[in-house]
Amino acid sequence: MSAFIALARRDLALALRAGGGGLMGLAFFAMTLTLVPLGVGPEPAVLARIAPGLIFVAAALAALLSLERLFQADYEDGGLDLLWLSPLGGPLIVIAKCLAQWAAAGLPLVIAAPVFALMFHLTGPAIAPLVGALLIATPAFFVIGSLGAALTLGVRRGGLLIALLVLPLYVPFVIFGVAAVDAAQMGHPAAPHLMLLGGLSLLALIFAPLASAAALRISLD
Amino acid sequence: MELVAQGLCVERGERRVIGGLGLRVGAGEVLIVTGVNGAGKSTLLRALAGLLVPAAGTILLGAHRRDGDAHAYTGQLHYLGHRDAVKGALTVAQNLAYWQEVLAPAETRAPAAEALAAFGLEGLASMPAAYLSAGLRRRLALTRLLAVPRPLWLLDEPAAGLDAPSRAALGDAIGRHCAGGGLAVVASHGELSLPAAQTLALERA
């Protein structure tokens, strides 16, 4: 357990440092969302209609942005070999690294989302489901993304390849996440959508680290 | 404890690099692996470390099989490859402390200060590792061997980049490790003076 905490803590510290890329995702998220009203015009009804989908897509892309470096630095400096000699084992290495990356690059998106929701004239009752849906979906974005990051280890400019591999797997999360917010906007309960989203997220949290660990194992060879 | 490999075959990219190799290293013994570039020294060490899966053969370390419980085997060994696993953003002391926490439970760690002193890094503990030279980074990597006691050391050209005093310090460290019943397999081009070591000469397949 202490090894797990040490790995997660160090990765979080490295991600938050200048050049670690942790807060780059937040900056990307903010910039993208700020551009949208400039592009589609300031009509409140239009903005409120497209806001949930936009915020979800921007969050998914921002998460992707930080994933290329998830294993790359440790792979290049030989640290990944040593992690394999630790008592952690592959899936826990993946979970610790995803947890740190999520705390550095995913959680800030969840926290910033209400600000952008207001900017897009989302009404009060829709904000809580939006934050809830992002809180449930973003960890899944990172663990699923870790699979892409593990598969593309050692590939030059693997970032784009990660996006191609991983974005199709984000589809159900975007659908159910946006559905929850839309339901709340129209005065329907958001809970059923959030529960489906939670179930999907749990599935991803269980199976994606196993798959990523297997992909990492291959890259060590 | 004893390291025994039998009928070991390792393939890299469809090419058989090591074919039917057997070796035995007893407690307190050093095995020096020599061979020209590309003879398979690094491949052999990575296979012994459990990082490469051999095409055939068995590896036994004490009572633990390489293909048995993964950590029971890998938890007994240190692997020092060509890359130092040093993070430039962390200080020398933080780098070592991190690997101590990841590799060993608290009660089995050796004092970090002694490990740093053994390789002459005690004065640099608070220096960011990014400012270290290649030789100093290698010495920092070597401190892991002492800070986390494990019986088998797999060292792949550990003297690369080291100056003469550091090579002597490394030779001493390996000597003390073996005197305490440890094992070492060292791939080397002969820069290290290790008395009473057996040699395994690999040939290019």
Side-chain angles (χ1 to χ4, degrees):
Chain A
M1 195 63 203
S2 76
F4 181 86
I5 294 167
L7 172 57
R9 207 179 50 210
R10 185 206 61 160
D11 267 28
L12 180 59
L14 289 175
L16 290 177
R17 269 174 212 242
L23 293 175
M24 292 261 277
L26 180 60
F28 172 86
F29 182 69
M31 293 295 244
T32 314
L33 291 178
T34 312
L35 277 178
V36 172
L38 300 175
V40 301
E43 198 66 46
V46 175
L47 288 181
R49 180 70 199 85
I50 61 174
L54 272 177
I55 292 176
F56 246 84
V57 170
L61 294 179
L64 267 182
L65 201 62
S66 67
L67 280 168
E68 187 180 2
R69 298 299 294 168
L70 186 62
F71 303 114
Q72 197 74 31
D74 274 339
Y75 175 73
E76 281 166 5
D77 73 10
L80 207 53
D81 292 343
L82 289 190
L83 282 177
W84 224 261
L85 306 184
S86 76
L88 282 173
L92 279 180
I93 294 171
V94 173
I95 292 171
K97 290 185 91 63
C98 285
L99 181 66
Q101 198 77 2
W102 176 77
L107 194 56
L109 305 180
V110 180
I111 295 168
V115 178
F116 290 98
L118 290 174
M119 196 176 97
F120 282 94
H121 303 283
L122 266 191
T123 48
I127 290 179
L130 175 70
V131 173
L134 280 173
L135 199 59
I136 295 169
T138 46
F141 287 166
F142 282 84
V143 288
I144 293 174
S146 76
L147 180 56
L151 284 171
T152 57
L153 257 191
V155 178
R156 290 220 170 265
R157 307 227 170 268
L160 199 59
L161 195 53
I162 296 178
L164 292 177
L165 286 171
V166 162
L167 276 177
L169 299 173
Y170 286 179
V171 168
F173 296 92
V174 173
I175 290 175
F176 287 109
V178 173
V181 186
D182 280 346
Q185 253 184 319
M186 288 183 270
H188 302 303
H193 300 288
L194 289 178
M195 283 178 192
L196 273 170
L197 189 63
L200 282 171
S201 190
L202 282 178
L203 268 180
L205 289 173
I206 292 165
F207 290 110
L210 298 175
S212 300
L216 280 182
R217 188 73 193 79
I218 293 168
S219 75
L220 288 179
D221 210 282
Chain B
M1 182 161 287
E2 197 178 42
L3 173 69
V4 183
Q6 280 171 336
L8 196 61
C9 296
V10 189
E11 289 171 356
R12 304 296 282 145
E14 315 260 307
R15 196 172 74 93
R16 179 151 293 191
V17 178
I18 295 171
L21 181 92
L23 61 83
R24 173 185 294 267
V25 186
E29 290 178 4
V30 183
L31 175 68
I32 300 207
V33 183
T34 62
V36 296
N37 299 140
K41 301 187 294 294
S42 297
T43 303
L44 172 63
L45 261 64
R46 285 184 73 82
L48 291 176
L51 295 169
L52 288 185
V53 180
T58 57
I59 305 174
L60 202 66
L61 176 57
H64 308 294
R65 286 171 64 91
R66 185 206 62 81
D67 48 1
D69 174 9
H71 183 63
Y73 180 84
T74 56
Q76 306 297 313
L77 63 89
H78 270 297
Y79 168 75
L80 183 77
H82 294 286
R83 294 169 299 176
D84 296 321
V86 167
K87 284 272 183 276
L90 304 179
T91 68
V92 167
Q94 283 170 339
N95 265 296
L96 182 58
Y98 162 70
W99 282 119
Q100 278 190 305
E101 286 173 47
V102 168
L103 292 174
E107 61 277 10
T108 64
R109 293 172 205 155
E114 283 175 24
L116 288 172
F119 290 101
L121 290 171
E122 65 276 24
L124 300 173
S126 55
M127 163 109 85
Y131 299 144
L132 297 182
S133 72
L136 288 173
R137 285 169 79 94
R138 173 108 301 213
R139 276 149 71 174
L140 175 52
L142 288 168
T143 57
R144 283 198 300 267
L145 302 174
L146 302 178
V148 178
R150 290 185 169 185
L152 172 62
W153 290 4
L154 300 169
L155 311 178
D156 196 353
E157 300 188 24
L162 293 184
D163 55 18
S166 308
R167 283 203 297 273
L170 173 58
D172 285 351
I174 295 173
R176 278 197 306 277
H177 175 64
C178 292
L183 296 68
V185 179
V186 184
S188 164
H189 289 293
E191 316 90 338
L192 282 173
S193 55
L194 298 169
Q198 32 168 345
T199 302
L200 172 70
L202 290 179
E203 285 182 20
R204 210 158 166 168

